Amino acid sequence: GCLVDLTGLHWQAWKKAAEAFEFDRPSLNDVKLASLVRAETAVQRIFYWTEDIFLAREIAQAQRDALKECFDQWMEEEKITLPDNNGTSLVTGGGGDEQETSSGDGNTLRVEPTEAEVFAMQAEAWGKAASMYGFGLPT
């Protein structure tokens, strides 16, 4: 597996959204908090840019569009490509519920994590958030 910190890409996307709507740039700490909630909630309750739900949705969509743009640019800069659908096969692991795709060149990409992996990732994320703000681990 591979774990990648996308905080920098999220910060770039929020910065673009802020500039597009003429708001102050968010701080990196606010962006970290924003990653824990829906974008519309972040606009209203973390960045305090607006209380207008329609404008919040518009800003959130601008952030999502900017994030896709930033991510695509990052992939291009890093020369990362996704396999095409030609010759791609779906492989099921030995009795587990994880799914993988093979691009035919010997490389295998995971499509879906197992339920246990999702739970472990969620527990780790919530644990880090809790300790960051001085709370105990969630139970």
Side-chain angles (χ1 to χ4, degrees):
C2 181
L3 183 61
V4 179
D5 182 4
L6 298 176
T7 306
L9 294 179
H10 280 271
W11 183 80
Q12 289 176 14
W14 279 115
K15 183 179 83 164
K16 286 182 179 185
E19 290 170 354
F21 289 87
E22 299 180 354
F23 291 112
D24 291 335
R25 288 182 183 178
S27 70
L28 190 56
N29 283 336
D30 284 345
V31 170
K32 288 178 183 179
L33 281 174
S35 70
L36 301 174
V37 298
R38 289 180 31 239
E40 292 83 353
T41 304
V43 167
Q44 294 178 308
R45 304 285 180 246
I46 295 174
F47 304 130
Y48 299 106
W49 287 340
T50 184
E51 288 294 319
D52 182 326
I53 60 171
F54 298 107
L55 181 57
R57 286 180 189 162
E58 192 176 338
I59 297 167
Q61 187 58 50
Q63 185 271 344
R64 286 188 281 270
D65 293 343
L67 182 59
K68 182 183 182 326
E69 182 182 304
C70 292
F71 189 79
D72 289 347
Q73 181 181 355
W74 172 78
M75 284 184 60
E76 187 176 308
E77 289 171 0
E78 297 296 320
K79 297 180 180 22
I80 298 171
T81 58
L82 297 177
D84 60 12
N85 289 332
N86 298 335
T88 301
S89 62
L90 189 64
V91 178
T92 306
D97 59 355
E98 69 184 38
Q99 297 177 343
E100 298 178 346
T101 60
S102 174
S103 62
D105 61 0
N107 294 327
T108 301
L109 298 173
R110 289 182 75 102
V111 176
E112 296 178 17
T114 65
E115 187 175 334
E117 289 171 324
V118 170
F119 178 75
M121 289 185 285
Q122 290 171 335
E124 181 182 359
W126 281 107
K128 285 182 179 180
S131 65
M132 198 164 126
Y133 295 101
F135 295 108
L137 293 175
T139 58

